[in-house]
Amino acid sequence: MRRGSILALLGIGTLAGGIATAVAVLLPWFPDVASKERARIDFTFWFVIAICILIFAIVAAVLLYSVWRFRAAPDDNSDGPPIHGHTGLEIVWTLIPTVLVTAIGIVSAIVLARNDALGSNVLKVNVTAQQFAWSFSYPEAKNLTSGTLRLPVDRSVLLTFTAKDVIHSFWVPEFGQKQDTVPGLTTTLHITPNRTGTFPVICTELCGLGHALMRTETIVMTQAAFDKWLKSQTKAAGSQNPSVSGAAVFKNNGCSACHTLAAAGASGKVGPDLDKLPTYASTAGKPLDAFIRESIVDPGAYTEKGYPKNVMPPFASLPKEQLDALVQYLIQSSKKG
Ligand code: CUA
């Protein structure tokens, strides 16, 4: 091979590889990294991308060089020379991919094994998925239930999923993993958050009319802040004062994601405006107390005009004291509003 040809191949390869690297590195393809597992998954991803860019550069160089160097003259209508393969070349282009794919397999296996390995002092959280809401309960705090997933930073967290109706899928982009929730099966996911902040929890399995609304948040906080929150919530849930525990039930069940209620500082627009509950009840022709109770336990019974039907999950499994407190809280708050 002439020196000029080698230089041309190297030049095209470097240019193609450079452009591919710039596209991969300079554009923000990924959300921020907020878990140890996600960092390992990203490592695997970049390992594969580096291999892809190398192969892309080689293929682009050989292809572009050949198209230019071996092009036919405009008046050349003859057949090309017959070629009967090249054993040496075939061995090379079989061996190299075999080695690369095996390397990717080994790296992935190591990452999967490490991501599944629980740390010490694991925090267990039970996650319930239903059309169309998430709820999180903490066995270590008397099954305190919350509509947002609060987690301490730098601690091993084991999420255990149950689905009440259809298949859903739990996803926090910053944590980097997805887990399906399947009725009749118990699935788990291990996460070690390593950054404080608020990140979205998204359902990524088409699960019905309200699928796009099946979102909440995860708040990763310091261990001290998390302990403080657990303590304050356990106290609030056990409180006898209805206005205190009703507010906590409202907050813990994620009602503010969809509803507006001035007293709770909630401004959701998906579902009916709870400050107008007395008006809705008179339109429905029911006493306020019974109307609110029914709307929580069986939301499909009456749908206010202008709002989507069957989007709110029935909160039929809410313990009686919590339901009573929530109804009283909504009556008091909406009469003020
Ligand atoms: Cu639940 Cu989509």
Side-chain angles (χ1 to χ4, degrees), residues 130-132 134 167-169 203-208 211-212 214:
Q130 63 177 5
Q131 289 168 320
F132 300 97
W134 296 102
I167 301 177
H168 304 271
S169 186
C203 176
T204 62
E205 183 74 57
L206 183 60
C207 54
H211 162 68
M214 193 169 161

Side-chain angles (χ1 to χ4, degrees), residues 178-230:
K178 289 180 181 175
Q179 179 59 61
D180 277 6
T181 73
V182 186
L185 280 183
T186 305
T187 50
T188 57
L189 182 63
H190 174 228
I191 295 170
T192 317
N194 62 359
R195 218 184 116 178
T196 53
T198 302
F199 313 107
V201 174
I202 301 169
C203 176
T204 62
E205 183 74 57
L206 183 60
C207 54
L209 198 60
H211 162 68
L213 306 172
M214 193 169 161
R215 286 169 171 247
T216 180
E217 283 177 337
T218 174
I219 302 173
V220 179
M221 47 220 302
T222 59
Q223 181 70 50
F226 177 76
D227 290 340
K228 210 173 141 196
W229 172 76
L230 267 195

Side-chain angles (χ1 to χ4, degrees), residues 73-89:
D75 57 349
D76 179 4
N77 289 326
S78 64
D79 287 341
I83 293 171
H84 289 287
H86 187 296
T87 311
L89 206 55

Side-chain angles (χ1 to χ4, degrees), residues 85-95:
H86 187 296
T87 311
L89 206 55
E90 284 175 21
I91 290 175
V92 169
W93 77 40
T94 306
L95 266 184

Side-chain angles (χ1 to χ4, degrees), residues 233-320:
Q233 292 303 302
T234 335
K235 230 189 243 165
S239 162
Q240 293 307 307
N241 180 349
S243 71
V244 173
S245 66
V249 175
F250 186 85
K251 209 170 137 216
N252 290 343
N253 287 283
C255 308
S256 58
C258 295
H259 295 286
T260 291
L261 182 67
S267 55
K269 293 271 178 284
V270 176
D273 180 345
L274 302 183
D275 287 319
K276 297 184 183 148
L277 276 173
T279 320
Y280 299 152
S282 65
T283 312
K286 286 172 188 165
L288 186 56
D289 178 299
F291 174 71
I292 295 177
R293 196 169 291 268
E294 176 190 71
S295 301
I296 296 168
V297 177
D298 180 17
Y302 172 85
T303 308
E304 181 60 24
K305 234 194 199 152
Y307 291 99
K309 264 190 190 357
N310 297 325
V311 164
M312 175 169 155
F315 285 84
S317 58
L318 213 56
K320 190 176 175 303

